[in-house]
Amino acid sequence: MNSNNSLQADLSPRGAMFSIRSKAMVIALGICGAVASTAAFAQATAGSLYGWAPAGQSITVQSKEGFHRQVTANAKGHYSINVVPSGVYSVTLEKDGLPVVTHQNVNVIVGRGQEVDFVCRGSKCPEASNN
């Protein structure tokens, strides 16, 4: 028996098909890894805001750089705003489209949630403190 035969690649149709499948699998895994790392990187540059406000009222987050998002507090008065780029924001409670209370200088940190509450009694909210 020739020892060189055992070192040669299997060039049979079955061996060639295995080789193509192996290469396709490596390429597919590489693409999936690249997509997953891009998604992880996007999340690694953002944080979130959450808190309590009168049920059904609007909460708007705004940065000087132009980021703007608005959500509504749910029936229990909870709200959350996810994927907020890190930075400094003003967070405003609005009623009927008009600002009621604004928290200035709210710092959003990468990978963290920042609580911003609007504690209101009845329909009147106290003045917001600077955070």
Side-chain angles (χ1 to χ4, degrees), residues 101-113:
V101 175
T102 298
H103 290 278
Q104 298 288 340
N105 302 317
V106 175
N107 201 12
V108 174
I109 299 170
V110 172
R112 293 190 178 175

Side-chain angles (χ1 to χ4, degrees), residues 31-108:
I31 291 171
C32 290
V35 170
S37 67
T38 301
F41 179 73
Q43 291 176 349
T45 61
S48 64
L49 294 166
Y50 65 94
W52 299 97
Q57 299 302 313
S58 297
I59 297 87
T60 301
V61 60
Q62 177 81 40
S63 75
K64 290 180 182 178
E65 290 76 29
F67 180 87
H68 178 270
R69 192 167 307 155
Q70 186 175 53
V71 297
T72 302
N74 68 18
K76 293 182 179 181
H78 186 261
Y79 75 92
S80 68
I81 304 170
N82 297 319
V83 191
V84 178
S86 63
V88 178
Y89 294 87
S90 62
V91 183
T92 304
L93 172 68
E94 297 176 358
K95 183 174 183 179
D96 301 323
L98 299 173
V100 176
V101 175
T102 298
H103 290 278
Q104 298 288 340
N105 302 317
V106 175
N107 201 12
V108 174

Side-chain angles (χ1 to χ4, degrees), residues 7-48:
L7 297 176
Q8 291 180 348
D10 184 3
L11 299 178
S12 68
R14 182 176 175 188
M17 183 58 74
F18 179 75
S19 178
I20 292 170
R21 285 182 185 166
S22 296
K23 289 177 185 176
M25 181 64 75
V26 168
I27 290 170
L29 289 173
I31 291 171
C32 290
V35 170
S37 67
T38 301
F41 179 73
Q43 291 176 349
T45 61
S48 64

